[in-house]
């Protein structure tokens, strides 16, 4: 036994090593690709092009502080030696615009999505193909600020190969995009486990809530990556998804906190759900009716998230004081929440100090992923432990309901089956069976032979009754079969005939001095009109009548 356990252990660890090797190799290959992103197939020099732009008044344009007027024009003189074979590349946010070359439109960015989606599109990259010039000319950009109270921006203007510019942008946003896909798939796997898994009990809601949080958070973050916008070509629709996902984060957050702490006050979930749906519905209504849109109503989202966070902290503190949280979860939550809090504060300070150069790759987003990973690991450990305990409980239940000698269901299983039959709506057949001459077999052939006879009857029953019937050993030499069909069903006669043939075949093969034989009695039971006790008794009486007749014939 010890040798077998050692072999199993070795096989487990060897397979684990192989799996880790493959995962590590795939990770190294992926990192190799990302680390050589500068080895571009597109050549040519990138030229800074954000200087010498002016307004119509002649004043110089400061791209870090564009005008807040609703409509204005900027321009720049250029020549073919500089712009030929180049594209005008830059990023824009909260502005629509049209680009002209010598009064001819060469690029127009005025999306016209349904009103429900709002007007904001986040930060979006543009690569504009410039026409070939033989003489000097002027580039005009006619700009419309989307929001009158908040100027948008155009930044990072350069002359570059457009393919290289877009490829570089895709490469820069690839890590976040990949993390989001992993987070979404991770949540999807967890939610499937939560729904179809066994033995989880109330923990099921905790698993499902963190899975939902992972999926919603991943959708929120992926909606802010330029890769998603570029791949779909619908930045405004993507940004609408971003706002709604950010609103929805509140619900799985409070669900997880309530589930993991065992909080009995379920009205907290209803309260957060109502406030979240109010924020979403009001934002949709306001945007659709031409009022402030999602971007302008972000404060409402922040209030709802802050309200949810405050409730979560209160619940967690209360659970820690009352020691309702286990030590492992308490440590993980403290680490994860501290990381999220520190990253959030750091990003806010960084944004306020340098808002124009602020990168969309925020530390807060990465801290959210760390939170998901830490809680996910905790949940997978929990799932493993609950599955192990559940399997152990199943084994113990199986032992409790199974006969050790024959493997058939025992008296406890028999009682449960009768209880279910009494509440069913079928016409059942009860078959009471009893082995003949067990005492004589034990006395003359030995108890080993007696056990052999009993096991043979059990194996015959399981080989014959294969139509969903239940077979039981309810005493030393007493057996019982319960079918969900009546005695008039052809299956009944077929099974009984086959049972006799199998026993005759056993007797012919072994030629024992005492043949294997059984007596049986059968009766139908209808739960709508019959007493289960009287029908079991009737089957028993019929069995004893047959046994008496068989003994008389033998004499």
């Amino acid at each position: 036994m010890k040798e077998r356990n050692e072999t199993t252990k070795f096989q487990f660890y060897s397979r684990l090593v192989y799996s880790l090797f493959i995962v590590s190799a795939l990770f190294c290959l992926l990192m190799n690709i990302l680390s050589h992103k500068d080895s571009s197939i597109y050549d040519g020099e990138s030229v800074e092009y954000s200087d010498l732009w002016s307004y119509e008044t002649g004043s110089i344009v400061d791209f870090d502080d564009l005008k807040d007027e609703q409509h204005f024009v900027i321009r720049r003189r250029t020549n073919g030696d500089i712009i030929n074979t180049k594209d005008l590349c830059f990023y824009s946010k909260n502005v629509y615009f049209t680009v002209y070359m010598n009064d001819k439109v060469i690029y127009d960015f005025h999306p016209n999505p349904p009103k429900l989606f709002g007007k904001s599109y986040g930060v979006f990259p543009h690569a504009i193909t410039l026409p070939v010039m033989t003489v000097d000319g002027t580039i005009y950009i006619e700009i419309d600020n989307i929001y009158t109270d908040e100027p948008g921006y155009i930044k990072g203007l350069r002359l570059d190969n457009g393919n290289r510019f877009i490829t570089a942008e895709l490469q820069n946003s690839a890590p976040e995009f990949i993390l989001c896909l992993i987070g979404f798939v991770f949540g999807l796997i967890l939610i499937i486990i939560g729904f179809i898994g066994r033995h989880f009990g109330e923990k099921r809601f905790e698993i499902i809530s963190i899975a939902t949080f992972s999926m919603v958070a991943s959708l929120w973050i992926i909606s802010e990556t330029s890769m998603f916008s570029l791949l779909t070509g619908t930045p405004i629709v993507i940004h609408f998804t971003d706002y709604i996902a950010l609103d929805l984060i509140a619900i799985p957050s409070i669900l997880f906190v309530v589930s993991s702490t065992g909080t009995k006050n379920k009205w907290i979930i209803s309260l957060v759900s109502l406030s979240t749906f109010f924020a979403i519905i009001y934002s949709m209504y306001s945007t659709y009716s031409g009022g402030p849109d999602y971007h302008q109503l972000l404060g409402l989202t922040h209030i709802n998230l802050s309200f949810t966070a405050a409730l979560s902290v209160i619940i967690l503190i209360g659970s820690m004081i009352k020691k309702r949280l286990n030590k492992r979860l308490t440590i993980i939550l403290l680490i994860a929440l501290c990381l999220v809090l520190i990253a959030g504060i750091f990003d806010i300070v960084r944004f306020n100090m340098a808002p124009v150069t602020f990168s969309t790759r925020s530390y807060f987003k990465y801290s959210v992923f760390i939170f998901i990973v830490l809680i996910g690991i905790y949940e997978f450990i929990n799932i493993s432990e609950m599955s192990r305990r559940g399997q152990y409980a199943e084994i113990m239940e199986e032992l409790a309901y199974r006969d050790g000698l024959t493997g058939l269901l025992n008296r406890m299983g028999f009682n449960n089956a009768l209880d279910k039959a009494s509440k069913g709506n079928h016409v059942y057949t009860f078959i009471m069976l009893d082995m003949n001459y067990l005492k004589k077999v034990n006395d003359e052939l030995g108890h080993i032979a007696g056990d052999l006879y009993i096991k043979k009857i059990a194996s015959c029953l399981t080989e014959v009754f294969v139509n969903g019937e239940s077979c039981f050993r309810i005493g030393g030499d007493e057996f019982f079969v319960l079918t969900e069909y009546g005695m008039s069903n052809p299956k009944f006669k077929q099974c009984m005939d086959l049972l006799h043939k199998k026993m005759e075949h056993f007797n012919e093969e072994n030629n024992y001095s005492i043949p294997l034989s059984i007596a049986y009695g059968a009766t139908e039971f209808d739960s709508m009109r019959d007493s289960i006790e009287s029908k079991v008794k009737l089957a028993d009486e019929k069995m004893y009548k047959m046994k008496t007749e068989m003994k008389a014939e033998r004499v």
Side-chain angles (χ1 to χ4, degrees), residues 201-213:
E202 289 294 320
K203 281 287 183 180
R204 182 185 305 276
F205 304 107
E206 182 182 314
I207 295 167
I208 293 172
S209 60
I210 193 59
T212 308
F213 176 83

Side-chain angles (χ1 to χ4, degrees), residues 166-265:
I166 295 299
T167 300
E169 184 58 30
L170 291 173
Q171 290 171 339
N172 290 333
S173 61
E176 278 185 11
F177 187 82
I178 292 169
L179 276 176
C180 290
L181 287 180
I182 293 171
F184 193 87
V185 172
F186 173 76
L188 185 61
I189 292 170
L190 261 186
I191 207 166
I192 292 172
I193 291 172
F195 275 116
I196 69 174
R198 302 165 62 189
H199 321 301
F200 295 159
E202 289 294 320
K203 281 287 183 180
R204 182 185 305 276
F205 304 107
E206 182 182 314
I207 295 167
I208 293 172
S209 60
I210 193 59
T212 308
F213 176 83
S214 178
M215 294 174 71
V216 174
S218 297
L219 182 61
W220 164 57
I221 297 172
I222 204 172
S223 299
E224 293 196 341
T225 62
S226 53
M227 176 177 276
F228 202 24
S229 294
L230 286 169
L231 290 176
T232 59
T234 55
I236 291 180
V237 179
I238 297 298
H239 219 51
F240 163 77
T241 305
D242 176 37
Y243 291 127
I244 301 302
L246 183 59
D247 276 319
L248 288 173
I249 282 177
I251 297 177
S253 300
I254 199 68
L255 279 172
F256 173 70
V257 171
V258 169
S259 300
S260 61
T261 57
T263 303
K264 303 299 181 185
N265 298 324

Side-chain angles (χ1 to χ4, degrees), residues 14 37 100 186 220 311 402 413 438 461 478 508 513:
S14 62
K37 62 182 181 180
Y100 300 84
F186 173 76
W220 164 57
L311 280 177
R402 289 283 171 185
L438 176 59
L461 290 175
E478 292 180 313
E508 289 171 3
S513 59

Side-chain angles (χ1 to χ4, degrees), residues 117-382:
F117 294 153
K119 297 177 286 187
S120 181
Y121 56 86
V123 178
F124 192 74
H126 306 269
I128 304 167
T129 302
L130 298 173
V132 176
M133 292 181 58
T134 56
V135 296
D136 290 354
T138 304
I139 300 176
Y140 296 89
I141 304 180
E142 194 174 76
I143 299 173
D144 297 301
N145 271 315
I146 295 176
Y147 303 108
T148 55
D149 58 338
E150 180 186 341
Y153 63 69
I154 289 176
K155 66 174 185 176
L157 279 87
R158 71 192 71 172
L159 294 175
D160 202 347
N161 182 301
N163 290 329
R164 178 170 62 188
F165 175 76
I166 295 299
T167 300
E169 184 58 30
L170 291 173
Q171 290 171 339
N172 290 333
S173 61
E176 278 185 11
F177 187 82
I178 292 169
L179 276 176
C180 290
L181 287 180
I182 293 171
F184 193 87
V185 172
F186 173 76
L188 185 61
I189 292 170
L190 261 186
I191 207 166
I192 292 172
I193 291 172
F195 275 116
I196 69 174
R198 302 165 62 189
H199 321 301
F200 295 159
E202 289 294 320
K203 281 287 183 180
R204 182 185 305 276
F205 304 107
E206 182 182 314
I207 295 167
I208 293 172
S209 60
I210 193 59
T212 308
F213 176 83
S214 178
M215 294 174 71
V216 174
S218 297
L219 182 61
W220 164 57
I221 297 172
I222 204 172
S223 299
E224 293 196 341
T225 62
S226 53
M227 176 177 276
F228 202 24
S229 294
L230 286 169
L231 290 176
T232 59
T234 55
I236 291 180
V237 179
I238 297 298
H239 219 51
F240 163 77
T241 305
D242 176 37
Y243 291 127
I244 301 302
L246 183 59
D247 276 319
L248 288 173
I249 282 177
I251 297 177
S253 300
I254 199 68
L255 279 172
F256 173 70
V257 171
V258 169
S259 300
S260 61
T261 57
T263 303
K264 303 299 181 185
N265 298 324
K266 304 302 181 184
W267 57 267
I268 295 173
I269 298 174
S270 301
L271 185 62
V272 172
S273 299
L274 284 172
S275 65
T276 299
F277 288 126
F278 169 78
I280 292 173
I281 292 169
Y282 177 76
S283 298
M284 284 183 168
Y285 171 77
S286 177
T287 301
Y288 186 80
S289 60
D293 71 1
Y294 308 104
H295 180 78
Q296 295 165 300
L297 295 171
L298 268 176
L300 187 61
T301 299
H302 294 157
I303 290 171
N304 186 51
L305 289 175
S306 300
F307 170 66
T308 304
L311 280 177
S312 300
V313 170
I314 292 170
I315 293 170
L316 287 171
I317 292 173
S319 297
M320 288 177 187
I321 293 171
K322 295 177 181 178
K323 296 182 178 179
R324 286 203 303 247
L325 283 177
N326 65 58
K327 187 176 180 181
R328 183 192 298 162
L329 179 58
T330 303
I331 293 171
I332 290 174
L333 281 175
L334 285 174
I335 293 172
L337 290 174
C338 286
L339 281 173
V340 170
L341 184 62
I342 292 169
I345 293 172
F346 182 78
D347 274 356
I348 291 171
V349 172
R350 190 161 61 113
F351 176 73
N352 288 326
M353 290 178 65
V356 176
T357 59
F358 177 68
S359 170
T360 54
R361 190 179 297 171
S362 71
Y363 293 106
F364 177 73
K365 295 175 187 175
Y366 288 117
S367 70
V368 170
F369 279 118
I370 293 172
F371 176 85
I372 291 170
V373 169
L374 289 175
I375 299 299
I377 291 171
Y378 165 78
E379 291 299 342
F380 271 118
I381 292 171
N382 261 357

Side-chain angles (χ1 to χ4, degrees), residues 529-554:
R529 56 181 171 78
D530 296 328
S531 161
I532 202 160
E533 291 82 5
S534 63
K535 287 295 180 178
V536 171
K537 184 179 179 182
L538 179 59
D540 194 47
E541 289 172 353
K542 287 185 175 183
M543 181 271 294
Y544 273 109
K545 183 180 178 183
M546 178 183 282
K547 183 182 278 286
T548 303
E549 292 171 354
M550 291 175 74
K551 285 182 178 180
E553 288 176 6
R554 186 172 175 82

